[in-house]
């Protein structure tokens, strides 16, 4: 007869059981060993055991075993399990890929701000990051261009408790925009940008249903030239609404824009 072997491990050395969380589609978790953070795409059965595929905000996929205590959810160690068939579907992340907070109230607006160049930039940021910005209390305003950026910054009077982030279109070496941005040196201001002529280009062509954004000859209005090249009516307002309606989440945007907006949100929400 097999004798009983007591567990002599001290209580303080025993790992507390981790809660089991169904790996529902779009649940955002972090793999505990590698630190890879992404949304659940699918779960699969394999010869080695169940696996989960995660997709990060830049579209990269990684497959991980669903090991006990193998993931972090909002900083808490959890064990992912296969979701039950026919279980309730609930949104688990915002359009930006952040963890959704159901019923969260908007925070009182911070003194800090994020400035973008134009209305289209502001509408795109709102569409993808709007939920995050309201929770963080960050207001986004548009400037109708950055030619007067140094004076705008001085008027804003940035401070440690009122940081200013600025998103600039076509911020590439040697451009007019890069020369203007270089005139801002306040430590409480962060100026970043993407390489695209206009924020339209930051939307992935496949999301809009086109093969690619056309090259527009110098001297032409870029947006009108895009409409003409694509065979769209030369109504830039209607064209923008067509583009904006094709954006459902961060997956529809280029990483060059994603990273810069996330950087600005982090900067203006740093503790005082």
């Amino acid at each position: 007869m097999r004798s009983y072997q007591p567990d002599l491990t001290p209580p303080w050395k025993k790992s507390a059981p981790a809660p089991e969380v169904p790996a529902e589609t779009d649940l955002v978790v972090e793999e505990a060993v590698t630190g890879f953070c992404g949304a659940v795409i699918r779960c699969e059965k394999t010869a080695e055991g169940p696996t989960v595929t995660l997709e990060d905000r830049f579209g990269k996929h990684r497959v991980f075993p669903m090991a006990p205590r193998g993931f972090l959810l909002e900083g808490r160690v959890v064990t992912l399990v296969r979701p039950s068939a026919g279980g309730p579907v609930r949104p688990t992340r915002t359009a930006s890929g952040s963890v959704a907070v159901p019923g969260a109230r908007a925070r009182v607006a911070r003194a800090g701000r994020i400035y973008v160049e134009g209305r289209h930039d502001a509408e795109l940021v709102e569409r993808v990051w709007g939920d995050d910005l309201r929770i963080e209390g960050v207001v986004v305003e548009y400037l109708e261009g950055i030619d007067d950026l140094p004076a705008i910054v001085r008027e804003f009077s940035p401070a440690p408790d009122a940081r200013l982030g600025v998103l600039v279109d076509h911020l590439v070496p040697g451009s007019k925009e890069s020369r203007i941005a270089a005139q801002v040196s306040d430590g409480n201001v962060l100026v970043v940008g993407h390489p695209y002529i206009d924020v339209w280009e930051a939307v992935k062509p496949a999301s809009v249903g086109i093969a690619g954004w056309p090259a527009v000859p110098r001297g032409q209005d870029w947006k009108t030239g895009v409409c003409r090249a694509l065979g769209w009516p030369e109504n830039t307002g209607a064209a923008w609404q067509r583009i904006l309606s094709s954006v459902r989440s961060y997956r529809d945007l280029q990483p060059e824009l994603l990273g810069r907006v996330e950087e600005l949100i982090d900067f203006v929400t740093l503790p005082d």
Side-chain angles (χ1 to χ4, degrees):
M1 183 175 180
R2 186 174 180 180
S3 61
Y4 170 71
Q5 298 292 329
D7 183 358
L8 301 179
T9 305
W12 60 86
K13 289 190 176 181
K14 294 181 180 180
S15 298
E20 294 186 346
V21 176
E24 298 174 347
T25 301
D26 282 348
L27 178 71
V28 177
V29 294
E30 178 183 343
E31 203 277 327
V33 175
T34 64
F36 185 89
C37 184
V40 172
I41 299 300
R42 59 181 172 271
C43 298
E44 296 177 297
K45 291 182 178 179
T46 71
E48 291 76 26
T51 64
V52 61
T53 301
L54 304 181
E55 180 188 63
D56 71 7
R57 63 178 64 252
F58 301 112
K60 183 178 180 181
H61 289 192
R62 292 278 298 274
V63 180
F64 298 101
M66 296 172 70
R69 303 179 61 83
F71 298 87
L72 301 177
L73 176 61
E74 298 182 1
R76 181 182 58 162
V77 176
V78 298
T79 296
L80 288 186
V81 296
R82 291 175 61 85
S84 59
V89 177
R90 58 182 178 86
T92 56
R93 63 172 176 167
T94 66
S96 73
S98 300
V99 175
V101 184
R105 293 184 177 182
R107 175 174 172 166
V108 175
R110 295 173 181 266
R113 291 287 187 274
I114 292 177
Y115 286 168
V116 298
E117 284 206 48
R119 181 171 59 85
H120 293 178
D121 306 66
E123 289 176 346
L124 187 60
V125 169
E126 162 62 26
R127 189 169 188 88
V128 176
W129 287 274
D131 290 339
D132 309 60
L133 293 167
R134 279 181 283 279
I135 290 175
E136 295 291 348
V138 177
V139 175
V140 175
E141 301 178 9
Y142 65 91
L143 302 175
E144 294 292 2
I146 62 161
D147 289 351
D148 298 323
L149 184 60
I152 291 170
V153 169
R154 287 194 298 271
E155 182 179 355
F156 181 82
S157 300
D161 61 345
R163 294 184 177 90
L164 176 62
V166 184
L167 180 68
V168 177
D169 297 341
H170 198 227
L171 190 61
V172 296
S175 67
K176 177 192 75 172
E177 292 81 1
S178 67
R179 292 190 292 272
I180 294 172
Q183 299 175 41
V184 179
S185 58
D186 192 308
N188 294 306
V189 180
L190 177 63
V191 181
V192 299
H194 57 75
Y196 305 111
I197 294 174
D198 189 273
V199 77
W200 287 21
E201 281 191 296
V203 180
K204 292 180 178 178
S207 298
V208 185
I210 60 177
W213 291 106
V216 177
R218 294 178 65 88
Q220 289 189 23
D221 177 75
W222 188 84
K223 293 176 181 176
T224 302
V226 166
C227 293
R228 186 178 300 128
L230 293 175
W232 295 353
E234 293 181 19
N235 180 331
T236 58
W240 170 242
Q241 291 307 312
R242 176 175 181 170
I243 296 166
L244 185 63
S245 66
S246 71
V247 176
R248 292 164 292 279
S249 76
Y250 71 94
R251 295 186 183 121
D252 296 306
L253 302 182
Q254 299 288 6
E256 291 84 354
L257 176 66
L258 290 172
R260 303 295 74 75
V261 176
E262 296 284 352
E263 191 176 356
L264 290 176
I265 294 174
D266 289 345
F267 179 77
V268 300
T269 58
L270 283 171
D272 297 346

